[in-house]
Amino acid sequence: MLKQWKVAMVGAGAIAGALIDAFFHTGVVTPERIRVINRNNRDQLLRLQAKYRIHPCDSIAEAVTDADLVILSVKPKDAAEALQEAAKSAPDHALYLSVVAGKSIEWMTGLIRAAQSEREQVAWPRVVRTMPNTSCQVRESATAYAASANCTEVDIQNVEILLRAVGSAHPIEERLLDAVTGLSGSGPAYFYYMVESLAKAAIDVGLDEKTAKDLLAQTIYGAALMLRHTGETPEKLRSDVTSPGGTTMAGISVLEARDFQNAVRAAVQAAAKRATELGE
Ligand SMILES: NC(=O)c1ccc[n+]([C@@H]2O[C@H](COP(=O)([O-])OP(=O)(O)OC[C@H]3O[C@@H](n4cnc5c(N)ncnc54)[C@H](OP(=O)(O)O)[C@@H]3O)[C@@H](O)[C@H]2O)c1
């Protein structure tokens, strides 16, 4: 049962903190069963301990000993060292879940196998690669994940429960994860940029900054709920509020004339390409 799982978090930065907060508030994992480790930043571990009652560790080996689940949440440049160190001491039955951008299941499996090479007859490691986004912090991430073929149904059910603690979970073919990185991984920043641009425009037409930002935050939130709850396509929702000769049409016409859709398409392609480059 997931609540009984021992969880090791290798890397206790922003995303791990958001996961721990969600696990704590939803109760999907027992905080006392979560062990965390950083490279240097022990203060962060102690803060997490004070707030969530997780168990801070002095080494990766201590963190992963007996772990049923090893969550790898370090920056891509630190991933090889941290994963190898974890795989040396984690039990054979441990499931690995990575939030590291761009690092493939094959790459992780290779490192784990190499680190386990001294052991006899180790089962092939089970690995889940995920791409959450920063909205984890408010438990509204759109998280896509891909699992190695040997993951069990129970693994997938548990991963879904864990990911749903921070938002929604979407199984996807691994080859599409770089595209997801360019879309929903970077996605919050696209919307922030849109809001930032709209806020500047609002000030130009006479609003104060606070009023503009309050109106825009509610507008984007309401639009997201409309997309989610009406079941309508974005095209239909847009056309419903765009009457010929009306105000919205006047605004959208300017975006069309400036090739807004192609600019957005190019942005997603560039971000997805960069995700692939970083993984390499
Ligand atoms: N933040 C997001 O919204 C987001 C979204 C999607 C994916 N991701 C992915 O999530 C991963 C983590 O991102 P983040 O924003 O949480 O980074 P972060 O805040 O920099 O946290 C990384 C943590 O890893 C620790 N660390 C580094 N090397 C280690 C090692 N060898 N052993 C143990 N701990 C080690 C660091 O500890 P020290 O501080 O002590 O060095 C730090 O606390 C990245 O790979 C990123 O691609 C993040």
Side-chain angles (χ1 to χ4, degrees):
M1 207 180 131
L2 185 55
K3 246 178 144 46
Q4 301 305 318
W5 271 18
K6 292 183 182 143
V7 178
M9 304 196 83
V10 179
I15 203 115
L19 287 169
I20 291 170
D21 182 78
F23 296 162
F24 179 82
H25 284 103
T26 57
V28 293
V29 180
T30 310
E32 288 83 353
R33 289 176 171 267
I34 302 176
R35 294 179 175 207
V36 293
I37 178 72
N38 262 340
R39 189 175 33 199
N40 301 310
N41 191 346
R42 188 154 176 89
D43 287 349
Q44 165 74 349
L45 304 187
L46 296 179
R47 272 194 297 275
L48 291 169
Q49 181 187 33
K51 195 162 177 194
Y52 304 111
R53 304 191 306 274
I54 53 82
H55 184 89
C57 293
D58 293 318
S59 68
I60 291 185
E62 183 195 346
V64 302
T65 302
D66 296 340
D68 300 298
L69 173 69
V70 176
I71 299 183
L72 186 67
S73 46
V74 299
K75 293 284 188 203
K77 69 178 173 51
D78 299 316
E81 187 191 324
L83 180 58
Q84 270 171 323
E85 200 58 33
K88 271 188 218 160
S89 304
D92 297 347
H93 76 271
L95 172 67
Y96 291 82
L97 185 149
S98 163
V99 301
V100 181
K103 297 296 179 195
S104 70
I105 291 174
E106 189 184 2
W107 181 88
M108 288 187 277
T109 305
L111 284 179
I112 297 165
R113 297 275 298 165
Q116 294 174 331
S117 61
E118 314 235 309
R119 300 184 205 171
E120 279 174 26
Q121 291 188 332
V122 182
W124 202 259
R126 287 140 41 240
V127 176
V128 178
R129 178 181 164 195
T130 70
M131 177 40 62
N133 68 31
T134 183
S135 303
C136 271
Q137 290 172 44
V138 289
R139 287 183 247 150
E140 290 292 352
S141 170
T143 306
Y145 71 90
S148 60
N150 59 343
C151 281
T152 65
E153 261 181 50
V154 173
D155 289 336
I156 301 297
Q157 278 165 14
N158 285 335
V159 164
E160 290 239 347
I161 292 169
L162 290 167
L163 296 181
R164 279 199 229 110
V166 286
S168 60
H170 309 265
I172 198 157
E173 282 177 54
E174 191 188 11
R175 67 183 178 84
L176 295 174
L177 272 177
D178 286 343
V180 165
T181 306
L183 185 70
S184 52
S186 305
Y190 303 147
F191 289 108
Y192 299 146
Y193 193 46
M194 185 77 188
V195 170
E196 198 186 316
S197 309
L198 287 166
K200 284 183 181 155
I203 291 162
D204 288 348
V205 294
L207 274 79
D208 67 85
E209 194 174 339
K210 178 169 183 329
T211 307
K213 287 189 173 154
D214 288 350
L215 286 171
L216 287 166
Q218 180 61 31
T219 301
I220 198 169
Y221 180 67
L225 290 186
M226 288 290 285
L227 280 167
R228 176 173 280 181
H229 294 305
T230 62
E232 295 291 0
T233 63
E235 292 80 0
K236 170 82 168 61
L237 291 170
R238 176 167 61 86
S239 87
D240 284 351
V241 293
T242 314
S243 6
T247 56
T248 309
M249 174 152 269
I252 295 275
S253 304
V254 173
L255 293 178
E256 280 175 346
R258 309 257 172 124
D259 219 359
F260 179 76
Q261 286 202 348
N262 273 332
V264 170
R265 184 174 283 142
V268 172
Q269 284 170 353
K273 182 166 169 278
R274 187 71 190 128
T276 307
E277 288 166 4
L278 288 175
E280 285 160 0

